[in-house]
Amino acid sequence: MFIESFETNTLVSLGAFILIAGVLAAKFSNRLGVPALVLFILVGMLIGSDGFGFIDFNNPQMAQTIGIFALIIILFEGGLQTKWSTVRSVAVPSISLATFGVLLTSTIVAGAAYFIFDVTILEALLFGAIVGSTDAAAVFATLKERNIKARMGAILEAESGANDPMAVFLTLSFIELILYPETNIWTLIPAFFWQMGVGLLIGLLLGKLASESINRIHLDSSGLYPLFSVAFALLTFSVASFLEASGFLAVYVAALVVGNSELTFRYSIFQFNEGFAWMSQIVMFIILGLLVFPTQVFTFEVIIRGLLLSFILILVARPVAVFLSTLGMKYSIKEKVFLSWAGLRGAVPIVLATFPIVAGLDNAQLFFNVVFFIVLTSTLIQGSTITFLAEKLHLTGPIKDTPHHSMELISMGKANAEMVQFKTNEHSAIVGKKLHEISFPQKANISAIVRDENLITPYGETEIKDGDYLYILVATRFKEDLKKVLEAKKSTTKKADS
């Protein structure tokens, strides 16, 4: 009993240490100018077998499972936060980069790997497929709260959210071709369209079902709604996988649908998923760090090969893929240069690098070590210089305005009421008007106004100003009417001189 208790306490203590270390790493990552995910990986390496030896972990299968689960949560949260109006405007270049771009990048890297590793063509193509896609976890984490131009950020996020399926498909296809040489390569083409098409359809259907279910079900606690949304994310991945479609694509599409719908307890759902995604990132990257043995990675052979392949990937393969994938599209040279540099590698390549190990392929461990080194190089060099490059290329936008005040709501499920947060701007029709002059729908009351971080108690003579955060309690059935009032724009027409 004492031994079992000791083991349990040890595991709980290690879990607490991992999360605390991860949170502190995220806190200081911006000050150090290093992406948080690099610090997460370093924490895993330090507490692993080759570090202080706190945890002896060498289970690629478990790391793969944890990585897939974490990627589902990260992709879902990223999709929730993405505005459809922004993604729609960059859909064509994003899809082109996520498909043709990944294929080009993988092919160029494979050509280099063929000569550097002295392996078969199929093994080289497998390596190219593993590092061919940008990583959603790395991109979402790096771009979060950075003032990158909206269109550039949208392309990178949409590409990273949509290109994982392509990388997974290519990786599994080449593993199958290596293990079963009699496999007909032409049968993989219809499989690709099935995975993408059915994955997209499932994402749309289950995303719509999730939105309707969240709004129609009446739960006693607001804390159940975020769990309900996560359940749909996991269900979406599972259904797509059972049908041999792309689960990652389905999850990202479903999240886009849910995030751009009117939701009950939207604030609670978004806040919970953001925290859950952070936890998933911390656990995933630390686990991947545990899986790595520094004495194997930081050898002369791996460093030389890793640096050479990183150079080819960052300065040749990615730029060629970006420039050819956006050919004929209205993007400037500066924008293409930025997109080329911001193609971060992260968790996805490392997770994909575990597939050859689990399959028992030759050179699998060497590939894993080199892929890990490439990811470290990409995140350290590219991730820490994205903001600097955006400023030099004049591709920065307005600083992302995230309110520092918080709002905690009591469950109002039985009351069918919601608290709506709305930020005014100079174009809002209600700006400049006093509260008694605004025709709010019935059962809608302004509970508070936050202006310049100060709380203002509203009354009839209170004038609405640009940049105000309004907190309005409204009956659910009048939410659409309230939305029309809040989103109305000032008239730009001027009366003709009489």
Side-chain angles (χ1 to χ4, degrees):
M1 177 66 73
F2 175 77
I3 295 177
E4 292 179 356
S5 176
F6 176 76
E7 291 177 349
T8 301
N9 290 337
T10 301
L11 289 174
V12 171
S13 300
L14 284 173
F17 172 78
I18 287 173
L19 290 178
I20 291 172
V23 171
L24 292 177
K27 169 68 177 176
F28 293 106
S29 62
N30 285 333
R31 296 183 183 180
L32 297 174
V34 178
L37 60 91
V38 174
L39 299 182
F40 298 156
I41 290 175
L42 291 178
V43 169
M45 294 170 68
L46 285 173
I47 64 177
S49 302
D50 273 6
F52 296 114
F54 294 148
I55 301 177
D56 184 13
F57 182 81
N58 187 21
N59 191 330
Q61 181 70 57
M62 182 180 293
Q64 185 183 111
T65 302
I66 293 172
I68 290 173
F69 181 87
L71 286 172
I72 294 171
I73 303 303
I74 293 166
L75 275 174
F76 187 69
E77 193 271 338
L80 286 179
Q81 300 287 352
T82 302
K83 294 183 179 179
W84 172 242
S85 58
T86 305
V87 171
R88 183 171 51 192
S89 64
V90 298
V92 174
S94 298
I95 293 174
S96 180
L97 285 167
T99 52
F100 183 58
V102 171
L103 192 59
L104 277 175
T105 303
S106 300
T107 303
I108 294 172
V109 174
Y114 178 73
F115 293 102
I116 293 172
F117 289 127
D118 190 24
V119 293
T120 65
I121 293 177
L122 283 178
E123 287 176 324
L125 288 171
L126 172 61
F127 182 86
I130 290 172
V131 298
S133 72
T134 59
D135 178 58
V139 171
F140 292 157
T142 302
L143 295 183
K144 192 181 289 291
E145 297 182 1
R146 299 197 182 194
N147 58 328
I148 306 299
K149 192 175 180 181
R151 186 168 70 156
M152 293 293 97
I155 292 176
L156 291 169
E157 290 182 353
E159 176 202 1
S160 64
N163 69 8
D164 290 350
M166 184 69 172
V168 172
F169 170 78
L170 290 175
T171 300
L172 294 179
S173 296
F174 287 126
I175 289 177
E176 183 177 352
L177 290 171
I178 293 171
L179 290 175
Y180 309 102
E182 68 278 6
T183 303
N184 187 346
I185 191 172
W186 299 109
T187 61
L188 299 177
I189 297 177
F192 169 76
F193 287 103
W194 170 268
Q195 288 194 26
M196 300 302 111
V198 175
L200 176 64
L201 181 62
I202 291 174
L204 291 172
L205 292 176
L206 289 185
K208 185 64 176 176
L209 177 61
S211 302
E212 291 294 328
S213 300
I214 289 171
N215 287 331
R216 292 180 181 276
I217 194 171
H218 297 292
L219 301 174
D220 292 335
S221 171
S222 61
L224 294 174
Y225 287 90
L227 292 176
F228 199 49
S229 68
V230 171
F232 268 101
L234 299 175
L235 177 65
T236 300
F237 183 87
S238 300
V239 171
S241 298
F242 283 135
L243 295 176
E244 297 185 354
S246 173
F248 289 128
L249 179 62
V251 168
Y252 186 69
V253 171
L256 279 175
V257 174
V258 173
N260 288 275
S261 303
E262 288 295 330
L263 295 176
T264 300
F265 293 104
R266 183 184 188 87
Y267 181 84
S268 298
I269 291 172
F270 277 49
Q271 288 296 101
F272 175 87
N273 277 282
E274 183 179 9
F276 199 13
W278 270 111
M279 187 181 76
S280 299
Q281 285 188 54
I282 292 171
V283 172
M284 175 178 63
F285 283 111
I286 289 179
I287 290 294
L288 294 177
L290 286 171
L291 192 62
V292 173
F293 293 89
T295 53
Q296 296 180 11
V297 173
F298 299 107
T299 63
F300 180 78
E301 179 185 19
V302 171
I303 291 175
I304 293 299
R305 292 178 176 183
L307 285 174
L308 186 55
L309 284 167
S310 294
F311 174 82
I312 294 170
L313 173 63
I314 296 172
L315 300 180
V316 180
R318 172 67 179 180
V320 169
V322 168
F323 276 76
L324 291 182
S325 297
T326 57
L327 200 64
M329 302 179 193
K330 296 180 179 179
Y331 291 96
S332 66
I333 297 296
K334 289 183 178 180
E335 289 175 325
K336 292 182 180 181
V337 168
F338 178 76
L339 291 175
S340 299
W341 188 255
L344 300 179
R345 268 58 190 175
V348 171
I350 300 177
V351 171
L352 290 180
T354 64
F355 283 77
I357 296 177
V358 174
L361 298 185
D362 295 335
N363 299 312
Q365 190 61 51
L366 175 62
F367 282 4
F368 179 86
N369 293 335
V370 175
V371 166
F372 186 84
F373 188 86
I374 289 174
V375 168
L376 278 183
T377 305
S378 173
T379 50
L380 275 172
I381 298 175
Q382 294 172 278
S384 59
T385 56
I386 282 182
T387 302
F388 173 79
L389 182 64
E391 291 173 352
K392 291 297 181 182
L393 296 176
H394 305 291
L395 294 176
T396 54
I399 297 175
K400 293 184 179 180
D401 193 357
T402 304
H404 297 290
H405 46 277
S406 62
M407 177 179 63
E408 298 295 335
L409 299 180
I410 299 173
S411 172
M412 294 178 289
K414 294 181 178 179
N416 290 323
E418 297 182 41
M419 184 70 78
V420 175
Q421 175 187 280
F422 179 79
K423 184 188 178 185
T424 62
N425 57 61
E426 58 182 344
H427 304 295
S428 300
I430 61 175
V431 169
K433 293 184 178 180
K434 297 179 179 179
L435 288 182
H436 69 80
E437 298 173 340
I438 304 172
S439 300
F440 286 115
Q442 56 179 316
K443 301 294 179 69
N445 297 302
I446 294 187
S447 301
I449 298 174
V450 177
R451 179 180 299 160
D452 298 327
E453 299 301 321
N454 295 315
L455 178 65
I456 296 175
T457 303
Y459 63 100
E461 293 297 319
T462 301
E463 181 180 328
I464 304 298
K465 295 186 178 181
D466 178 20
D468 283 353
Y469 284 92
L470 309 181
Y471 292 92
I472 306 170
L473 183 63
V474 60
T476 303
R477 66 180 182 276
F478 294 111
K479 187 176 179 180
E480 284 299 318
D481 295 333
L482 174 64
K483 183 178 177 182
K484 292 177 182 178
V485 174
L486 296 176
E487 295 184 352
K489 305 296 182 183
K490 288 183 177 178
S491 175
T492 57
T493 58
K494 295 183 179 180
K495 293 181 179 180
D497 293 332
S498 55

